[in-house]
Amino acid sequence: MATLTDIAVACGVSKATVSRVLNNDSDFSVSPQTRNDILSAAASMNYDTDRQLRSKKNKLITASPKNTGKTTLKIGILSHDLSEIPTCDDYYNLIFSNIVSTLNNPSLPFHFEFRHSFHDSYEELEGLDGLIVLGKLHLDPCHPVISSIKYKLAVDYKAPDNLFDSVRVNFYDVVNTAISYFHSQGLYDIGYIGAYDYISDFSTGKIKKQLEYRHKAFINYCLHNQIEPEKKIWIADSFSSEDGYRIVKSIIAKGQLPSAILFASDDLALGAYKAFQEHHIDIGKDVSVIGIDDLYFTSFLSPPLTTVSLNIPLIGTIVADTLLSQIQGRTYPLTIHTPIRLVERKSCRLLSGKETQNHTTTDTPVR
């Protein structure tokens, strides 16, 4: 039976893109050609779309063997971004798999049952001991059902009114780290390619479009250094490789290519690689590139991609530890920013002193 991976390989796109197209995700933008290719491939491979939708409705995952000597806790997972579980390369799936593996510790006095739900009704969440909101999903923290859930945690998004825990990346630090590295290489003509945030409202299904934190951080950098943001920022419909390819093609065609580009995701950078190669632009020589995420494929690109690692597996471990600290008695909410690090590879060049001596802006990025 065909899998999402089979379809992704056949179409030359990511597994996440295939999943979101087959699930008719209204928040996800993809070209009509790519959408048709995916649907045609799925049909020709006899992929059971109904099976995937059935599995997503109420997926029960047990994190530890059933043991009558342990307390059983039912933990709900709210996310519109999980595809097939387990997987090794998708952002939210990787976080989730590390949550489960951390809680699958035989020394813990708890037996965890995860109820993975895509329902949009608060009533569907009744009876849970804990709730993990994974991704950009807003819910009412004062709703009676939510108030009745003892342990709550938001991942990759600020908890509403800071009423419960949130574990997320400080993307201001991520952008500052990348820009500081560009500066250390003598690179100051820096562009940014990102996407908007789309926040789903639980129960109503309404979508709110807003500036994403990486985008805001780069705007701050531009304003602090007397740079016009609109000349250095390009925003896509999504963080996909398809959009990275499309935007870079447009930048090249308009003669607007800066000497360095920060991509808000490694997937965007992946699409850009294809556009650069088609135009015989040498990455690491004609243009310097930094991505964000440190996904599995970044070290296999040519040249390997310099990226800011979000330590994605560690995010899952921290989420699990934060949940455990609630279960063990902590009652006050925490906001935890997970650690990041720059992974230096070959996609950035070092300019000579002669090339940089006429540049007068030396300000570092600001938060």
Side-chain angles (χ1 to χ4, degrees):
M1 183 176 292
T3 66
L4 291 180
T5 300
D6 296 331
I7 299 170
V9 171
C11 298
V13 298
S14 70
K15 186 165 64 175
T17 295
V18 174
S19 177
R20 298 182 77 168
V21 168
L22 294 181
N23 287 313
N24 197 27
D25 188 341
S26 60
D27 303 339
F28 184 61
S29 176
V30 67
S31 71
Q33 182 62 54
T34 299
R35 185 179 297 277
N36 289 336
D37 289 346
I38 292 171
L39 294 175
S40 297
S44 65
M45 294 180 182
N46 296 316
Y47 181 76
D48 187 357
T49 305
D50 290 338
R51 174 180 60 86
Q52 181 177 352
L53 292 175
R54 289 195 302 271
S55 69
K56 292 178 66 174
K57 281 296 182 182
N58 258 321
K59 185 171 290 187
L60 175 63
I61 304 121
T62 302
S64 58
K66 193 71 176 177
N67 187 325
T68 56
K70 293 186 176 185
T71 300
T72 298
L73 296 176
K74 297 177 182 178
I75 309 297
I77 302 292
L78 278 184
S79 174
H80 292 289
D81 293 296
L82 288 177
S83 55
E84 292 184 337
I85 300 173
T87 187
C88 64
D89 55 353
D90 296 326
Y91 181 79
Y92 288 110
N93 285 304
L94 188 54
I95 291 174
F96 180 77
S97 66
N98 278 270
I99 294 172
V100 173
S101 63
T102 302
L103 295 177
N104 190 21
N105 184 338
S107 67
L108 292 174
F110 310 106
H111 164 72
F112 291 95
E113 289 184 356
F114 287 94
R115 299 186 179 276
H116 181 214
S117 175
F118 283 75
H119 294 299
D120 292 328
S121 167
Y122 284 104
E123 287 66 32
E124 299 285 349
L125 306 178
E126 290 180 346
L128 293 175
D129 299 296
L131 181 66
I132 297 176
V133 183
L134 193 57
K136 309 300 173 61
L137 189 64
H138 179 83
L139 49 75
D140 179 6
C142 299
H143 190 280
V145 172
I146 301 301
S147 298
S148 70
I149 299 174
K150 190 172 184 179
Y151 313 117
K152 295 182 283 288
L153 192 149
V155 185
D156 201 36
Y157 186 57
K158 180 181 177 181
D161 301 323
N162 293 312
L163 291 177
F164 50 87
D165 292 350
S166 62
V167 175
R168 54 198 178 99
V169 175
N170 186 331
F171 280 112
Y172 281 82
D173 282 351
V174 170
V175 170
N176 290 347
T177 295
I179 293 175
S180 293
Y181 182 76
F182 277 139
H183 286 183
S184 74
Q185 304 299 100
L187 296 160
Y188 293 88
D189 178 23
I190 305 168
Y192 171 82
I193 296 177
Y196 287 104
D197 254 348
Y198 296 90
I199 313 301
S200 300
D201 185 72
F202 186 73
S203 81
T204 68
K206 293 181 179 179
I207 305 297
K208 179 182 178 182
K209 178 181 177 181
Q210 64 184 36
L211 295 186
E212 196 267 340
Y213 285 112
R214 283 160 279 195
H215 186 176
K216 292 178 182 178
F218 197 84
I219 290 174
N220 284 354
Y221 160 72
C222 289
L223 296 178
H224 185 71
N225 287 282
Q226 292 78 52
I227 299 169
E228 297 179 57
E230 61 273 13
K231 293 184 178 181
K232 297 297 179 182
I233 295 176
W234 295 270
I235 302 300
D237 294 325
S238 72
F239 293 96
S240 68
S241 55
E242 293 83 4
D243 273 342
Y245 172 77
R246 177 181 58 81
I247 285 189
V248 170
K249 288 271 289 185
S250 175
I251 292 172
I252 295 171
K254 294 177 181 177
Q256 299 174 335
L257 185 67
S259 43
I261 303 177
L262 171 60
F263 290 88
S265 74
D266 290 339
D267 279 322
L268 283 168
L270 175 62
Y273 266 58
K274 180 181 178 182
F276 289 137
Q277 290 163 0
E278 288 180 354
H279 288 81
H280 307 290
I281 294 171
D282 289 337
I283 300 167
K285 182 179 179 181
D286 301 324
V287 64
S288 293
V289 173
I290 295 179
I292 295 173
D293 285 333
D294 193 25
L295 296 179
Y296 74 99
F297 60 78
T298 54
S299 62
F300 298 101
L301 295 175
S302 181
L305 177 65
T306 296
T307 184
V308 182
S309 173
L310 305 185
N311 293 300
I312 299 172
L314 182 59
I315 295 175
T317 302
I318 292 173
V319 169
D321 289 341
T322 304
L323 180 68
L324 284 172
S325 72
Q326 290 188 48
I327 296 169
Q328 291 164 353
R330 178 175 55 82
T331 57
Y332 51 87
L334 292 176
T335 296
I336 299 174
H337 289 143
T338 53
I340 61 168
R341 62 187 175 90
L342 186 124
V343 181
E344 185 177 7
R345 297 195 180 105
K346 300 293 185 181
S347 62
C348 291
R349 60 174 171 162
L350 175 63
L351 294 186
S352 68
K354 182 178 180 180
E355 290 175 283
T356 62
Q357 64 183 2
N358 293 327
H359 190 91
T360 57
T361 301
T362 57
D363 289 340
T364 56
V366 295
R367 298 181 184 179

